[in-house]
Amino acid sequence: MDSNTTILVDTNIWLDYYALNRTGGAEAAELLGFAFSHGIKLLYQTDIIKDVFYLVSATTKRIAREEKGALSPSDATAANEFAWSAVNHMRENAFAISIGQSDVWYAAKMRSVHGDFEDNLVLAAAERANATYLVTNDEQLIKHAPVTALTPHDALVYLQAKME
């Protein structure tokens, strides 16, 4: 594997990996596990880490409410601790790509091609970081990406084939 391979991991993949009940969890776990074990450099935008924290905590709390009928203080604490663990895991295993004024400009410029501002910030980060791949489950984002954009399944198949 080329040691310069970098993957910008979109928010939805991190959520699939950490959230307990998301459909893409197994594929996200396979891909990220492969990347961790093969030294592939993973990237994330700094602005998404707050979303991962919030959504992992909220999902965990919702599941506890559904299972028990109410959210106990200990369940709320456990959900927040789990969210902190997710954030710490991201920080320890992937590199943060900060966004700046040039990314905001790029995202606005991309409006005529792809109208989703948040997605355009992902595209700006991928472009600026010179990411080898962008991994997402967002089909529209895949269509408009300036770098090779793949689903977790397709990325894993491709990376495994490169290893042979």
Side-chain angles (χ1 to χ4, degrees):
M1 176 72 48
D2 178 5
S3 63
N4 293 323
T5 299
T6 58
I7 299 174
L8 180 67
V9 181
D10 195 11
T11 312
N12 57 56
I13 306 306
W14 290 111
L15 291 173
D16 288 346
Y17 184 73
Y18 296 120
L20 302 175
N21 66 343
R22 290 177 57 105
T23 321
E27 287 182 344
E30 275 189 85
L31 174 64
L32 295 181
F34 183 86
F36 298 146
S37 65
H38 288 84
I40 297 171
K41 185 176 177 181
L42 299 176
L43 311 170
Y44 66 92
Q45 295 166 253
T46 53
D47 64 317
I48 71 157
I49 202 161
K50 66 175 174 38
D51 299 329
V52 170
F53 179 88
Y54 173 79
L55 291 169
V56 167
S57 178
T59 300
T60 306
K61 289 174 185 175
R62 182 182 47 76
I63 291 169
R65 275 189 209 95
E66 290 171 357
E67 290 177 355
K68 300 177 181 179
L71 182 69
S72 71
S74 64
D75 289 336
T77 299
N80 283 336
E81 286 302 314
F82 182 56
W84 275 109
S85 294
V87 164
N88 288 333
H89 184 263
M90 282 177 72
R91 288 179 43 241
E92 293 166 2
N93 292 286
F95 296 88
I97 304 298
S98 61
I99 63 168
Q101 183 62 32
S102 64
D103 300 308
V104 173
W105 175 85
Y106 182 92
K109 178 182 162 194
M110 288 292 292
R111 181 180 179 192
S112 63
V113 176
H114 186 68
D116 186 316
F117 183 72
E118 185 177 0
D119 284 352
N120 289 348
L121 288 173
V122 173
L123 298 177
E127 185 88 1
R128 191 165 45 80
N130 201 24
T132 312
Y133 309 107
L134 166 62
V135 175
T136 183
N137 281 318
D138 184 330
E139 292 177 22
Q140 291 302 311
L141 184 57
I142 289 171
K143 289 179 186 176
H144 299 114
V147 300
T148 303
L150 304 164
T151 65
H153 172 77
D154 291 343
L156 182 61
V157 168
Y158 181 76
L159 292 169
Q160 286 173 334
K162 279 183 70 172
M163 293 294 295
E164 294 177 351

